[in-house]
Amino acid sequence: MSRPVVVAARPDETAVLARLHAGCFARPWDGDAVARLLAQPGAFALLGRLGGDRPVDAGFALARTAADEGEVLSVGVLPDYRRRGLARALIAGVAGRARADGADALLLEVDQRNHAAVALYRRLGSAEVARRPGYSRQAGGRPRDALVMRLALTRDPAESPGN
Ligand SMILES: CC(C)(COP(=O)(O)OP(=O)(O)OC[C@H]1O[C@@H](n2cnc3c(N)ncnc32)[C@H](O)[C@@H]1OP(=O)(O)O)[C@@H](O)C(=O)NCCC(=O)NCCS
């Protein structure tokens, strides 16, 4: 199986990012929303590819660095490409970029019932540092708590146990 490849998204790839977001979330962000987000100071986007000779854009991460903290704004992998280490590689890419920008920690906010994302962040070594009651990004439905998780950037998350 081919290894994931993570690259910086080019400024003209907002539509690709929006398509990937729509493939991963019930409430998609359109290209304009992605462009507005990337216009914020410290914001950046990564694309994750799988597929060897004919790589496919299969995942993305949107993030930003402010002062000494990085923040993952959104990360997703298309359903057909999950459990191949692509999200882990994307978070490692975000961590590397945030570290280069001067951050010493990465914050990740996640719906507490998003078991895949919580498992991913824990696997990378993140610790829960706060809980936001009533937070919800789900269409309809009852509000859910969010967990704020923090990953110290002392090592590469791609080298976390079990990788
Ligand atoms: C969460 C998500 C990004 C994970 O992507 P992925 O590429 O499948 O994750 P990886 O293959 O890198 O997984 C790395 C580790 O995370 C954990 N993990 C990932 N998905 C998991 C799941 N469904 N159940 C349990 N653990 C999971 C495992 O420990 C996994 O390691 P392993 O496969 O060796 O057991 C993906 O499921 C997704 O896009 N979900 C919808 C969007 C979303 O919820 N994004 C996060 C909130 S912003």
Side-chain angles (χ1 to χ4, degrees):
M1 190 182 299
S2 66
R3 287 182 68 82
V5 173
V6 173
V7 297
R10 296 191 313 265
D12 64 352
E13 288 182 307
T14 51
V16 177
L17 292 162
R19 177 176 57 76
L20 290 169
H21 191 283
C24 298
F25 292 93
R27 291 169 62 183
W29 296 351
D30 64 18
D32 287 346
V34 172
R36 277 196 301 278
L37 196 149
L38 290 175
Q40 294 178 24
F44 60 94
L46 303 178
L47 287 170
R49 297 184 176 137
L50 282 169
D53 290 344
R54 304 182 66 184
V56 173
D57 290 327
F60 74 97
L62 291 161
R64 71 180 158 216
T65 311
D68 57 356
E69 278 182 344
E71 182 185 8
V72 175
L73 302 169
S74 188
V75 59
V77 171
L78 295 176
D80 286 351
Y81 297 91
R82 289 178 187 167
R83 299 308 288 265
R84 300 193 204 176
L86 189 51
R88 180 197 290 265
L90 283 160
I91 300 288
V94 170
R97 168 72 186 265
R99 217 172 6 213
D101 289 347
D104 56 23
L106 194 59
L107 293 179
L108 318 108
E109 189 171 300
V110 61
D111 183 328
Q112 66 168 358
R113 287 178 26 188
N114 187 341
H115 301 298
V118 172
L120 167 70
Y121 298 161
R122 287 208 171 113
R123 178 72 176 266
L124 296 176
S126 308
E128 183 183 330
V129 291
R131 187 171 286 254
R132 296 218 172 112
Y135 153 108
S136 178
R137 286 185 191 157
Q138 302 298 311
R142 288 168 46 188
R144 299 171 180 175
D145 291 358
L147 304 181
V148 181
M149 303 184 77
R150 182 179 185 278
L151 177 64
L153 296 182
T154 52
R155 61 175 184 171
D156 184 343
E159 295 166 3
S160 60
N163 187 38

